[in-house]
Amino acid sequence: MVNSFIIAAQIFMAFIGVYQFSISVFGIARRKKRNVHAPKKSFAVLVAAHNEEQVVGALLENLKNLDYPKELYEVFVICDNCSDKTADVVRSYGVKACVRSNTNLRGKGYAIEWMLKELWAMPRQFDAVVMFDADNLVNTDFLRHMNNDLCEGKQVIQAYLDTKNPDDSWVTAAYGITYWYCNRLWQLSRTNLNMANYLGGTGMCFQTELLKEMGWGATSLVEDLEFSMRCIKQGVNPVLNYDAKVFDEKPLTFQASARQRLRWMQGHFNVARRFFFPLMWQAIKERSLVKFDAALYTITVYNVLIGFLLTVMLWIDNLLPAKDLFASIYKYLPVWVVAVSIFIAVVQFPLAMALEKVRSWKMYMRLLTLPLFLLSWWPITFYAFFTQNNKQWSHTQHTRVIRLEEVQSKQV
């Protein structure tokens, strides 16, 4: 019975691997031609901040200099349960600080829900709402790209997520490499196949009418994934704008990174429980590849967990004197199949970096430490499985004050 379960799990994992590789191939080519529209849409730019006095100023300077008519956008900073001088810093830039104090409902999702209610009550209404985190930086043409998509009828848009400090440590380098991979071989591939993309927590744009109709309602630890699934379930597919770039600050230390990723995995388990079966049922009834893909994405966290458990079992089997305690399909596969699988797993990250025109040899050298980062997802996900009912938001402290010019100079 145990071996039957192990074999079934291995076949399922193999299917997921082949499926994702097949999708990723479509991200190699990039369609560059896009329609350009004159600035027309108005934007409420929301910045989520919790004790971000050190970094929020750089973003506000950045947003003031966007290449978009100033009368068509306004910036609002959500100062959520702050105990520092974030609100004072925001006001010093002439930007509206929206102060929220609610120690019972903590977290970014609740802060956004509160802010949207405040926004709807204001005299001025906007065509769309854009959301950033306080540690972000954005390219100056960001709103122009969002305007283009909105004029084309898009309702939910995700920008290209990049890392503003990939060369700070081996941990930030690992984030940078995985982001380049996800942008190119995960998100862009789905764009090219006219499938749904997935929101990334920042650099998001929403049509106001849709937000008012749906309500925010995404208050889990992974509000971006939760809202993505709500949209797809209702037939609204988020799209990727590959030309609109957002630069996100990543944790410098492994400890801070593990804490952040634990929160992501805890929230991901929650989303999987809520959305996998409804989306899969809709996919079957509607014969929808988009909803099938979304359903599979919700259980990515279980793929990581199962992969960890299967690996542990196989290692135990190899180390114990008694052999073949656990069944393995790999023993029956030709050597070339295993070799090709390993090659694909290894080459996909440098391939994505090459496609994204990463020129820093130091980043390519960081591929040597990338496996440590990737393997660390296993114990983090394992622990998250047993603590998935934890709803406490853990704040990632941001301290790197970097200007957009510094980020862009490193990309030349």
Side-chain angles (χ1 to χ4, degrees):
M1 181 66 179
V2 173
N3 279 336
S4 297
F5 172 78
I6 292 173
I7 290 291
Q10 290 173 344
I11 293 173
F12 174 73
M13 293 294 291
F15 165 75
I16 294 295
V18 172
Y19 173 80
Q20 178 51 37
F21 170 72
S22 301
I23 295 289
S24 69
V25 170
F26 291 90
I28 295 175
R30 181 184 169 194
R31 304 170 190 168
K32 294 186 178 181
K33 188 176 181 181
R34 302 179 67 95
N35 295 326
V36 177
H37 297 267
K40 174 184 176 184
K41 302 296 183 178
S42 60
F43 296 90
V45 179
L46 307 186
V47 178
H50 171 70
N51 292 342
E52 303 285 10
E53 64 177 354
Q54 295 187 60
V55 297
V56 70
L59 174 62
L60 295 180
E61 288 178 12
N62 182 189
L63 294 177
K64 278 194 164 188
N65 294 315
L66 293 183
D67 180 21
Y68 200 74
K70 299 299 183 284
E71 67 274 12
L72 288 180
Y73 74 96
E74 188 172 350
V75 180
F76 305 86
V77 178
I78 314 169
C79 303
D80 183 42
N81 289 301
C82 293
S83 57
D84 66 354
K85 297 180 180 178
T86 298
D88 293 335
V89 173
V90 170
R91 294 187 188 105
S92 72
Y93 282 88
V95 175
K96 185 170 183 179
C98 304
V99 179
R100 174 182 181 264
S101 298
N102 190 325
T103 56
N104 294 321
L105 301 177
R106 299 176 64 89
K108 183 177 170 183
Y110 290 111
I112 291 172
E113 189 162 55
W114 173 84
M115 185 64 224
L116 290 177
K117 291 177 182 177
E118 295 288 307
L119 196 63
W120 305 154
M122 293 179 185
R124 182 184 183 185
Q125 295 295 294
F126 301 87
D127 296 314
V129 176
V130 170
M131 298 181 190
F132 297 117
D133 290 336
D135 59 291
N136 294 164
L137 294 170
V138 303
N139 275 356
T140 54
D141 59 359
F142 183 91
L143 291 183
R144 286 189 175 272
H145 291 301
M146 295 297 116
N147 176 74
N148 291 338
D149 276 348
L150 290 168
C151 289
E152 293 288 317
K154 310 302 183 186
Q155 295 177 290
V156 181
I157 309 156
Q158 174 61 54
Y160 182 111
L161 285 183
D162 209 339
T163 309
K164 76 178 186 184
N165 60 330
D167 51 359
D168 277 357
S169 71
W170 73 273
V171 175
T172 60
Y175 274 108
I177 294 169
T178 52
Y179 270 39
W180 291 320
Y181 162 76
C182 289
N183 281 312
R184 190 72 190 217
L185 300 182
W186 192 287
Q187 292 275 54
L188 184 61
S189 56
R190 285 166 171 78
T191 298
N192 290 340
L193 289 169
N194 294 318
M195 297 169 69
N197 289 109
Y198 303 106
L199 298 173
T202 188
M204 306 178 292
C205 179
F206 307 90
Q207 184 191 60
T208 296
E209 289 182 8
L210 178 73
L211 275 180
K212 287 183 176 180
E213 178 186 338
M214 288 183 58
W216 179 246
T219 55
S220 71
L221 295 179
V222 284
E223 75 291 331
D224 48 354
L225 178 62
E226 183 181 0
F227 197 80
S228 297
M229 296 308 156
R230 286 188 61 211
C231 287
I232 296 170
K233 193 168 179 288
Q234 294 194 24
V236 178
N237 295 339
V239 299
L240 173 71
N241 191 304
Y242 207 77
D243 299 308
K245 278 199 172 185
V246 177
F247 302 93
D248 192 32
E249 181 184 330
K250 291 307 172 188
L252 275 68
T253 67
F254 181 81
Q255 183 179 6
S257 165
R259 187 164 54 246
Q260 181 186 66
R261 290 183 287 153
L262 175 62
R263 171 170 58 84
W264 290 348
M265 292 297 97
Q266 288 168 334
H268 206 137
F269 275 116
N270 178 269
V271 170
R273 290 200 311 268
R274 292 173 53 194
F275 289 96
F276 172 72
F277 287 109
L279 281 168
M280 186 58 74
W281 177 240
Q282 283 188 338
I284 294 170
K285 285 200 305 181
E286 301 171 18
R287 298 179 182 178
S288 170
L289 178 60
V290 170
K291 292 183 177 178
F292 174 76
D293 183 72
L296 288 186
Y297 185 66
T298 64
I299 59 168
T300 301
V301 65
Y302 281 101
N303 300 342
V304 178
L305 177 64
I306 293 171
F308 174 57
L309 296 176
L310 289 177
T311 302
V312 170
M313 289 179 181
L314 292 176
W315 274 103
I316 291 174
D317 198 23
N318 288 327
L319 292 173
L320 290 178
K323 299 295 182 183
D324 299 325
L325 291 176
F326 303 114
S328 173
I329 62 172
Y330 304 107
K331 295 178 180 179
Y332 305 101
L333 293 175
V335 174
W336 69 267
V337 173
V338 178
V340 168
S341 300
I342 294 173
F343 175 77
I344 290 173
V346 170
V347 80
Q348 59 186 343
F349 291 101
L351 172 63
M353 293 171 70
L355 291 170
E356 292 302 274
K357 296 181 173 58
V358 177
R359 297 180 177 88
S360 171
W361 65 268
K362 291 183 179 179
M363 285 296 108
Y364 286 95
M365 291 300 294
R366 289 297 190 183
L367 288 167
L368 298 175
T369 54
L370 178 64
L372 296 176
F373 183 83
L374 297 178
L375 289 174
S376 68
W377 282 100
W378 284 354
I380 289 170
T381 305
F382 184 74
Y383 183 67
F385 176 76
F386 294 100
T387 59
Q388 59 184 279
N389 291 324
N390 174 45
K391 301 295 190 298
Q392 184 176 356
W393 179 272
S394 59
H395 174 63
T396 302
Q397 187 176 9
H398 302 110
T399 58
R400 290 285 277 118
V401 181
I402 305 175
R403 262 60 182 187
L404 182 63
E405 297 76 17
E406 298 175 65
V407 175
Q408 291 175 331
S409 67
K410 294 178 182 178
Q411 295 183 320
V412 177

